[in-house]
Amino acid sequence: MRKIIAEFLGTFILVFFGTGTAVFMSLSPDNSVGTLGVAIAFGLTIIAAAYAIGDISGGHLNPAVSLGMFFRQTFILNKLIHLYNFPNYGRNICYIFNLVYIKHIKNRS
């Protein structure tokens, strides 16, 4: 259960900071973040999340990594189902969170 929660939180963090930075870049009128800023945000988020949850779950952070490990036959199907679905749930919840936050920002201005 700890692995599933760790992957859920890791994917949530990755999507929140990485995608959030990209969205704020597109919303800012002067494009102050830039493409390099988005790339740095994704990179630093992956590093931080991998260090935070790597010892618990392996720090896959991307469900495609779990799927690739399954096809390489290093994962069993039961483990794949949980480590593939729960990060997807974390990603979806984060997208909803970001959309609500963006609507809040747009309504304020």
Side-chain angles (χ1 to χ4, degrees):
M1 190 63 169
R2 288 182 62 202
K3 288 182 179 185
I4 294 170
I5 293 171
E7 285 294 321
F8 176 89
L9 290 175
T11 305
F12 183 91
I13 290 168
L14 175 64
V15 172
F16 180 75
F17 287 109
T19 308
T21 305
V23 168
F24 288 127
M25 180 188 79
S26 68
L27 290 177
S28 66
D30 60 348
N31 196 7
S32 59
V33 176
T35 307
L36 182 63
V38 173
I40 290 172
F42 267 107
L44 291 176
T45 303
I46 287 176
I47 290 170
Y51 275 115
I53 68 167
D55 291 340
I56 300 170
S57 68
H60 301 154
L61 299 176
N62 185 347
V65 174
S66 301
L67 191 62
M69 290 182 72
F70 171 73
F71 285 126
R72 212 175 122 207
Q73 297 177 348
T74 56
F75 260 16
I76 57 174
L77 183 62
N78 187 25
K79 192 174 181 182
L80 172 73
I81 291 170
H82 296 303
L83 286 179
Y84 186 79
N85 285 332
F86 279 92
N88 284 326
Y89 298 149
R91 180 197 66 216
N92 293 338
I93 289 171
C94 188
Y95 284 147
I96 292 168
F97 184 79
N98 279 342
L99 285 174
V100 169
Y101 189 67
I102 290 166
K103 286 186 179 188
H104 175 72
I105 289 174
K106 282 188 174 184
N107 289 339
R108 265 190 356 193
S109 57

